[in-house]
Amino acid sequence: MDRLNEKERSHAHRVEGCNWVPEYGAWMVEATPKRPYTGFTHDLLRVERNMRLRRKRILTVLADDEVAPTVAVFPLLGARADDATIPPTKAGGSKTLSEYIGDDIINPHPRFGTLTANIRQRRGEKVNIRVPLFRDKNTPEYQDFAESTTDIDGCCGGNTLQLWRYGKGDASREKYGNDRVVVGCSTSSKDDEFNEFSGGPVTLEKWLVDVTCEGCKGLFYRSAPNAIVPDADWPRNGDIVVGSEIPNIPGWIRLQNGYYLPINSDDGKIQFLHKVSKRAHASNPEKRTLGSNTPLFRSLTSAGRAQMSDSGNVDAVQGNTLQALLEDNLTMKTTLQNASAISTLNRVVDNSQDDLENVRAAIHMDAMAFGMGCCCLQITFQAKDLDESRFIYDQLAVMAPIMMALTASTPLLKGRIADTDCRWGIISESVDCRTPAERGLGSEPQPELAAKGQRRVFKSRYDSISTYIYQGADNTDNVSENSEKRGLKNRVLNMYNDIPVPIDEDSYQLLRKSGIDPALSQHIAHLFIRDPLVVFEGAVEEVDDETLTEHFESIQSTNWQSVRWKPPPPRNDPNDPHIGWRTEFRTMEIQLTDFENAAFTSFVVLLTRVILTFDLNLYIPISRVDANMQRAHSRNAAAKGKFFFRRHMAPLEEGDDGYCVKYSSMFARAANGENVSRTSSKNEDDEVDENGVSKQRRKAPFAPGSIEENSYEEMTMTEIMTGKGDYFPGLIPLVQAYLDYINCDSITRRRIDQYLDLIQKRATGQLVTPATWIRNFVRNHEDYQNDSVVSDEIAYDLMIACKKIGEGTLHVPELLGDLIVDPITTAGAWDVKLDSKRVQNDHLLDLLRRYSSRKAFSSEADSV
């Protein structure tokens, strides 16, 4: 790396260059472009060009017996103990205490070793990573398992995805040890509901909120029993919530959205929650907004109004409806069209089922290196302002699991074939520094830790986001006639933020008092539930927080979420670069070729422009984003899986409440060949403010409009990328339309079309992901024994093949189709200087001798 950076400095005169920085593993390197890309179409071509330049330049510093393929992880990492490296390194050490890898494979920079030791010490034990092991005919770990005809697709069968619930394995570990892991299935309710305390499924029940005391309107959510959630969209009297009683905490239920509610008042005199019939559907036509999947009875449905007596006694009908729910003699109907999603969400778990637990053999790993030793593809976008950066953060959070599944490339771990395809959950568990109490188990308070290590924390510090951050509209317009809308600018609504978000209360109150809105305050306060993992000597009291952000970055940089919001660094010198508000997209897996990496990079860049330019809205509840993250890990999820996605990315053109009016998607006119230039009056939501932001975007986080307008459903990758019905045009056609709209130049367009063709064929299954290709390579190798083991010979041949594919000397049609990658060599990696340094005579004669034997040269010499 030192040689590379020295060369880069000597080529500072060149516009195109590279930055090389150390990464966690001593065998890893991070490479980025020296100069950021601009916002012009021709820079989309720079992406692949710069990636090829990086590959060229790293080739110049490799020894003859070294390779540097762009793979997610070395397949034998941790598989050979003391004999795993050259020179050999002893397994274990004071930092990792690992049974499988040694401290010496960690980059010697003090940050990485300190991270490793502090994560283990804060957790109180080594990290515990258990990934489902792929079952083949002779896999020894499965010899004691029952025969199964479905194992070729995992234990769930061919129609569903087997789910690895990373980060929720404490109970199954206690029950089965390190060699087993419990998995779920994507079409069962166990996809969504999993008892993290006992490790098994739970029984969901429905509860009516009815707080019968003077002036009481409902209940505040609790992030944990007795911990009230500030500024949350709490359930009102008349709501029905879905949840389960907590066996070890009597008097409390854990809701389907992750929050908690008390059944009774503290003194037991007032009952807050009343158990109601399971036939009382949790989806109701009057539910105007999306979130906790519960009906609201604050106003009547059309059907209810029709039942009113001649005297117009609305209250009587309202009371009769609630009483009917309690007496188990009312079935609510729904007009919701996304039946497939609702059937998954509303299924009730029966503990008498035979398949309560799906136990699989596990690949066990015990150190940070197994996660942080993985490579990936990350992109950082600079937005035009703070508002745009927050909106793009939210939209990309929805895309994070989708793009991870499409780029999956991690099917081999610790010398075994995994039954998963992605790295994310491995990294998540490898840096999970939560104490037992923070993971929902018991442990003694530790005064030196944040909240004494006792606050319930639901995710590892490396995981998907827990809250959207775009506050949206202030909702101060036209609220006089509807007091329910008042004060929305001071609340984080639960329509999409439907999972618990533990926060540091002091940080939250400080931010709110300083004028920061609730959504952003909640995000920052959520970061500060973590302790800093690395603090350098001389960088504590010596750092001036008025001019430097080092203390903030010590927390921010070790909250590794699926997207990261990055405020501008301070400019303390006039020569410092102007860096604005940025959003980092972090989930994509690294690909074998620069063409693939550039294709996915360019696609995500273009997608952000599509969302902003066409004023689209991708919001779905974060609980569904989390479900998608689990599904994205599954084997061959890109081709076989279904993912929750928003049905309508633009407002519906017809129907404002869903009653007796047929909804019509704006995109339906184009799909059905209708005239797209209607003479209808202009939609006020299309109007933009002085900053160019439409009302439609401002209102997006608040889910205005009807149920249908804000609905989501399960879609295949093909449908997400290419379209479904006449209401969902697909992301690739939208990108194509955007390129037409901006009149993209023909040279750039040709390459972009090749990128989009690759993505579309991968989404439809015509081309495979790198994960599928790698797994097939191993299973078809002549040395493979059908035992899920990656031998030394297989690993060697695989790395050579990956090297050749990346350098363009081996074409694999199942990965790239007809696309041929131009070969990459060291030629042109660096500038060649017209040198004038004197050459020794012997060297000169050697050079001339090469040409003296040429026929033309010899004949001219003879004639002289």
Side-chain angles (χ1 to χ4, degrees):
M1 188 180 302
D2 291 340
R3 291 163 57 194
L4 284 170
N5 283 321
E6 184 179 349
K7 276 279 195 179
E8 296 289 349
R9 286 190 291 271
S10 69
H11 283 68
H13 59 283
R14 298 289 293 177
V15 173
E16 202 68 84
C18 315
N19 284 326
W20 307 91
V21 296
E23 250 301 339
Y24 181 88
W27 68 96
M28 302 166 67
V29 63
E30 179 181 305
T32 58
K34 181 182 73 173
R35 178 171 62 93
Y37 302 116
T38 68
F40 295 91
T41 57
H42 59 77
D43 263 24
L44 294 172
L45 300 182
R46 268 191 64 210
V47 174
E48 184 177 358
R49 197 160 59 234
N50 188 272
M51 288 178 175
R52 288 176 62 87
L53 178 64
R54 290 175 236 169
R55 197 180 296 265
K56 279 176 176 284
R57 289 185 172 178
I58 201 167
L59 288 176
T60 66
V61 298
L62 295 178
D64 292 339
D65 59 349
E66 293 177 332
V67 297
T70 47
V71 294
V73 65
F74 179 59
L76 298 185
L77 178 64
R80 298 291 181 268
D82 293 355
D83 192 30
T85 61
I86 300 175
T89 56
K90 184 175 179 58
S94 60
K95 297 180 178 65
T96 65
L97 301 183
S98 173
E99 299 176 33
Y100 310 114
I101 58 98
D103 288 357
D104 291 339
I105 71 169
I106 301 172
N107 190 294
H109 190 285
R111 168 182 169 85
F112 301 115
T114 304
L115 277 171
T116 305
N118 287 350
I119 286 172
R120 174 179 52 76
Q121 291 170 7
R122 191 187 189 283
R123 179 182 172 90
E125 61 177 352
K126 292 188 295 183
V127 295
N128 188 272
I129 312 163
R130 288 172 297 130
V131 181
L133 173 67
F134 177 77
R135 181 173 185 172
D136 215 332
K137 291 185 295 184
N138 301 326
T139 306
E141 288 85 349
Y142 285 105
Q143 294 306 305
D144 296 333
F145 281 64
E147 290 287 337
S148 174
T149 59
T150 65
D151 268 329
I152 190 64
D153 296 300
C155 63
C156 296
N159 296 323
T160 66
L161 296 177
Q162 176 181 289
L163 299 178
W164 170 44
R165 298 188 185 90
Y166 63 91
K168 295 184 177 181
D170 283 321
S172 63
R173 176 192 174 195
E174 183 176 345
K175 187 172 183 179
Y176 298 109
N178 291 332
D179 298 328
R180 296 285 187 272
V181 63
V182 175
V183 299
C185 300
S186 63
T187 59
S188 77
S189 54
K190 288 185 290 182
D191 176 15
D192 305 306
E193 295 304 320
F194 185 74
N195 190 330
E196 57 201 276
F197 298 105
S198 67
V202 298
T203 299
L204 295 180
E205 295 176 303
K206 297 178 181 179
W207 306 76
L208 171 68
V209 179
D210 186 19
V211 184
T212 54
C213 60
E214 185 176 353
C216 297
K217 296 181 178 181
L219 287 171
F220 285 111
Y221 285 122
R222 273 74 164 172
S223 59
N226 297 316
I228 289 178
V229 179
D231 293 336
D233 186 32
W234 41 274
R236 273 61 167 178
N237 287 341
D239 289 3
I240 289 181
V241 295
V242 180
S244 60
E245 295 188 68
I246 308 173
N248 57 343
I249 311 179
W252 288 84
I253 67 167
R254 184 178 185 275
L255 300 179
Q256 194 177 34
N257 64 18
Y259 287 118
Y260 297 82
L261 288 178
I263 298 175
N264 303 295
S265 60
D266 291 341
D267 58 12
K269 294 181 179 180
I270 302 176
Q271 186 173 354
F272 296 154
L273 302 177
H274 306 265
K275 194 178 299 185
V276 297
S277 168
K278 294 176 182 176
R279 293 187 291 125
H281 288 188
S283 51
N284 184 287
E286 189 59 21
K287 175 73 172 174
R288 299 297 184 91
T289 57
L290 193 65
S292 59
N293 218 35
T294 61
L296 302 179
F297 294 97
R298 284 186 287 251
S299 60
L300 287 176
T301 64
S302 297
R305 291 189 181 94
Q307 298 173 17
M308 287 175 59
S309 62
D310 293 337
S311 63
N313 190 346
V314 177
D315 292 336
V317 177
Q318 184 83 345
N320 291 337
T321 302
L322 299 182
Q323 186 62 32
L325 283 170
L326 293 173
E327 293 174 356
D328 192 10
N329 60 9
L330 176 68
T331 300
M332 303 300 295
K333 295 181 179 180
T334 177
T335 58
L336 211 58
Q337 296 181 20
N338 55 332
S340 61
I342 293 303
S343 65
T344 298
L345 292 174
N346 290 342
R347 185 178 289 111
V348 177
V349 183
D350 184 354
N351 279 326
S352 64
Q353 294 176 3
D354 292 332
D355 58 339
L356 288 181
E357 292 181 332
N358 295 319
V359 181
R360 310 297 286 171
I363 303 170
H364 177 246
M365 295 161 280
D366 67 350
M368 182 178 175
F370 288 104
M372 286 300 187
C374 295
C375 300
C376 61
L377 176 65
Q378 296 175 346
I379 317 168
T380 298
F381 306 89
Q382 179 163 296
K384 71 174 184 179
D385 54 29
L386 168 63
D387 185 89
E388 184 179 284
S389 71
R390 294 171 63 179
F391 184 71
I392 285 298
Y393 174 99
D394 288 359
Q395 306 306 300
L396 289 180
V398 177
M399 289 302 303
I402 308 301
M403 300 309 299
M404 185 170 74
L406 265 180
T407 57
S409 64
T410 317
L412 307 181
L413 299 166
K414 214 181 81 171
R416 307 304 299 274
I417 305 178
D419 216 4
T420 56
D421 274 3
C422 297
R423 81 202 186 284
W424 188 268
I426 304 159
I427 311 177
S428 179
E429 293 196 339
S430 77
V431 296
D432 191 352
C433 66
R434 292 176 297 166
T435 66
E438 290 170 338
R439 303 198 304 273
L441 308 173
S443 64
E444 292 295 321
Q446 302 179 61
E448 69 277 10
L449 301 184
K452 299 182 180 180
Q454 298 296 296
R455 179 195 288 118
R456 184 71 173 91
V457 179
F458 298 93
K459 294 182 179 181
S460 164
R461 64 197 304 149
Y462 196 116
D463 212 322
S464 55
I465 69 165
S466 294
T467 178
Y468 294 119
I469 68 172
Y470 185 59
Q471 184 69 31
D474 60 15
N475 283 277
T476 56
D477 298 335
N478 302 319
V479 298
S480 57
E481 74 284 0
N482 188 348
S483 60
E484 286 290 332
K485 290 185 178 180
R486 290 185 179 276
L488 290 184
K489 65 179 180 179
N490 291 320
R491 283 165 44 197
V492 177
L493 298 191
N494 188 49
M495 298 161 188
Y496 299 119
N497 288 307
D498 67 333
I499 65 172
V501 186
I503 63 171
D504 179 74
E505 183 66 28
D506 291 341
S507 298
Y508 182 84
Q509 294 300 335
L510 174 63
L511 291 162
R512 293 292 289 121
K513 289 176 182 177
S514 301
I516 307 301
D517 60 72
L520 191 55
S521 296
Q522 179 172 266
H523 167 69
I524 299 298
H526 177 58
L527 298 182
F528 275 79
I529 66 172
R530 314 285 181 178
D531 285 308
L533 291 177
V534 177
V535 178
F536 290 99
E537 187 176 355
V540 182
E541 296 179 351
E542 297 83 354
V543 173
D544 180 6
D545 289 329
E546 296 296 323
T547 59
L548 298 173
T549 58
E550 190 169 338
H551 288 158
F552 171 74
E553 289 299 333
S554 71
I555 298 291
Q556 160 96 331
S557 65
T558 54
N559 272 272
W560 300 281
Q561 297 181 338
S562 49
V563 284
R564 177 181 283 162
W565 181 70
K566 305 173 78 169
R571 294 185 74 243
N572 297 316
D573 186 278
N575 295 321
D576 287 346
H578 291 270
I579 299 176
W581 301 93
R582 294 152 295 154
T583 299
E584 183 182 21
F585 189 61
R586 300 173 46 79
T587 57
M588 289 196 293
E589 306 245 306
I590 198 164
Q591 308 294 285
L592 295 177
T593 67
D594 302 314
F595 174 81
E596 295 165 279
N597 286 315
F600 287 104
T601 299
S602 299
F603 176 76
V604 176
V605 171
L606 289 169
L607 185 59
T608 63
R609 302 303 96 186
V610 165
I611 292 168
L612 295 170
T613 304
F614 295 161
D615 215 2
L616 302 183
N617 173 6
L618 271 58
Y619 279 113
I620 61 173
I622 286 186
S623 63
R624 301 303 89 206
V625 176
D626 284 354
N628 284 346
M629 285 294 288
Q630 289 190 348
R631 295 181 178 200
H633 283 79
S634 301
R635 176 157 44 97
N636 206 15
K640 287 181 48 183
K642 287 188 176 182
F643 300 88
F644 295 105
F645 212 80
R646 190 180 181 93
R647 283 168 56 85
H648 302 292
M649 295 181 287
L652 297 176
E653 291 190 328
E654 296 177 6
D656 58 359
D657 61 1
Y659 304 117
C660 304
V661 178
K662 182 181 179 181
Y663 289 104
S664 175
S665 168
M666 178 184 74
F667 300 118
R669 283 185 281 143
N672 297 327
E674 298 178 24
N675 183 3
V676 297
S677 56
R678 287 185 175 174
T679 58
S680 58
S681 59
K682 185 178 179 181
N683 187 341
E684 66 174 13
D685 286 351
D686 292 336
E687 299 175 4
V688 298
D689 61 19
E690 65 276 9
N691 297 316
V693 179
S694 69
K695 287 188 176 180
Q696 180 175 315
R697 187 201 296 181
R698 292 286 190 197
K699 289 169 21 180
F702 297 95
S706 65
I707 288 177
E708 172 60 22
E709 191 164 338
N710 296 294
S711 62
Y712 57 90
E713 64 177 289
E714 291 177 300
M715 295 187 190
T716 65
M717 193 68 75
T718 299
E719 292 165 341
I720 292 172
M721 289 296 159
T722 65
K724 183 175 184 180
D726 64 358
Y727 58 90
F728 187 82
L731 301 182
I732 290 177
L734 284 168
V735 170
Q736 296 280 18
Y738 171 77
L739 293 171
D740 289 344
Y741 168 73
I742 64 172
N743 295 316
C744 179
D745 65 274
S746 60
I747 296 176
T748 302
R749 184 65 181 266
R750 278 196 297 271
R751 197 56 165 177
I752 296 300
D753 283 344
Q754 290 178 317
Y755 292 161
L756 296 177
D757 184 61
L758 168 80
I759 295 170
Q760 179 170 323
K761 288 180 177 177
R762 188 173 287 187
T764 59
Q766 295 172 262
L767 298 177
V768 301
T769 62
T772 296
W773 179 82
I774 290 171
R775 185 180 285 106
N776 291 341
F777 181 96
V778 173
R779 298 187 71 198
N780 293 323
H781 195 279
E782 60 182 6
D783 197 50
Y784 182 63
Q785 303 299 313
N786 299 312
D787 54 2
S788 308
V789 174
V790 183
S791 67
D792 289 356
E793 291 77 9
I794 296 174
Y796 177 87
D797 291 344
L798 174 63
M799 291 297 98
I800 295 300
C802 291
K803 168 190 181 298
K804 291 180 177 179
I805 292 170
E807 294 174 8
T809 59
L810 174 63
H811 177 62
V812 181
E814 56 265 41
L815 272 175
L816 298 173
D818 297 331
L819 192 284
I820 304 297
V821 174
D822 292 335
I824 297 177
T825 66
T826 58
W830 308 102
D831 291 347
V832 179
K833 186 178 180 180
L834 295 174
D835 203 352
S836 59
K837 184 179 179 180
R838 188 180 183 282
V839 178
Q840 297 294 324
N841 290 340
D842 290 346
H843 191 189
L844 172 61
L845 295 176
D846 286 339
L847 293 170
L848 287 172
R849 197 170 292 116
R850 301 177 187 177
Y851 300 93
S852 62
S853 59
R854 290 187 179 181
K855 183 176 181 180
F857 188 89
S858 300
S859 61
E860 291 176 8
D862 292 342
S863 63
V864 173

